[in-house]
Structures are given as structure tokens and as C-alpha cells.
Amino acid sequence: PFDGVMMSNPGIILELNLTSTSPRTNFLDVTVIFRPHNPPHFVMYFQYVLYDKRRDHPSLNTHDPFPHIDSVLSDQSKYGVMHSQLHRFCTNTSMRSDFISNTVALGGRMLTAGYHIDGLCQSIHKFKRWDLDMGDWESTKSDIIHRLRSLAAR
């Protein structure tokens, strides 16, 4: 379904050539999903979600993507990982549900590794680069924090 399809962003035109018959393909750290519409609109669009090769290949998942809680790094550096990953997740997904699931998964791993819920919530509150196409940031943020607090209470 990708053969000959043109994608464009301001200043960028990309022609996609057939490499698979699947409507999904992985490129760098995103999965691009082709969504054709049926008549009468004939509109085609793409969605994208975060692709993490460590999920598909457990042998690559050899260490946590954040510093050990007892490392000599400052707390700002340690908890800053959550903030920087929020930027990555927001850039590399077009779906609110994917943003939430990746954020909660990272936060859950950090909680298991000894990070404190309040520090994670502060990092989430500091995030300001939300893509409004994915919905309301305040409700998204509340949903994430609620889920992380539930994990922390276990």
C-alpha cells in the first residue's frame, strides 16, 4: 500500500516505494501506519507510533534507559530522563494512547528501580511541548499521573 505514495511536510517530499504489503512499517524509532479511507472521500493519511526495538528483540533490552537511582548524578539529571523522553514520545507518535502507554511504561520501570513518584510527577508537570492534535494536555497529564500513582501504591 505504500508504493508510489507521496508524503509531504513543509519543504520535504518523500516518495514511498513498495517494500512490504503490510500497511505498517518501522522506520528508525517510529512505526508508520497507512490508513486509506473508502469512497466517497478517498483521503489517505498516516499515523505513527513509537517503535522500540527492545520490545521486539528482548536481547537488546540489557539495561534501563535511565541512570541508577543511587548514581552520583544530580536528581535533576536523573528525573530529567522522564522529561526528555516526553519530548521524544510527543515527537514520535501521533496518537494520545501511544504517548500515554509509553510514558506510563517508562514511569513504571523507573518506580520499580527506586525513583520517587513525586519526582516523576514534577517532570511530567514541567513538560510544555504537547501536540494539540493529540487532544487536551491537562487531561492527558492527569491520566498519566493517575496511572503512575496507582503503580506506586502497589
Side-chain angles (χ1 to χ4, degrees), residues 59-92:
S59 62
L60 298 174
N61 197 5
T62 58
H63 66 281
D64 289 324
F66 47 83
H68 192 279
I69 192 65
D70 293 328
S71 72
V72 296
L73 293 172
S74 68
D75 283 349
Q76 182 178 359
S77 294
K78 293 177 205 173
Y79 288 93
V81 169
M82 173 60 83
H83 189 260
S84 66
Q85 290 300 307
L86 291 174
H87 283 277
R88 177 174 168 253
F89 298 159
C90 191
T91 301
N92 293 337

Side-chain angles (χ1 to χ4, degrees), residues 83-113:
H83 189 260
S84 66
Q85 290 300 307
L86 291 174
H87 283 277
R88 177 174 168 253
F89 298 159
C90 191
T91 301
N92 293 337
T93 187
S94 62
M95 298 173 61
R96 177 181 183 267
S97 59
D98 190 59
F99 179 88
I100 291 171
S101 65
N102 281 290
T103 303
V104 172
L106 174 64
R109 286 181 71 177
M110 293 176 85
L111 288 168
T112 299

Side-chain angles (χ1 to χ4, degrees), residues 34-52:
F34 178 64
R35 303 269 190 212
H37 278 279
N38 295 325
H41 303 297
F42 294 104
V43 174
M44 297 179 286
Y45 68 99
F46 293 89
Q47 288 181 314
Y48 49 98
V49 295
L50 188 70
Y51 171 68
D52 188 347

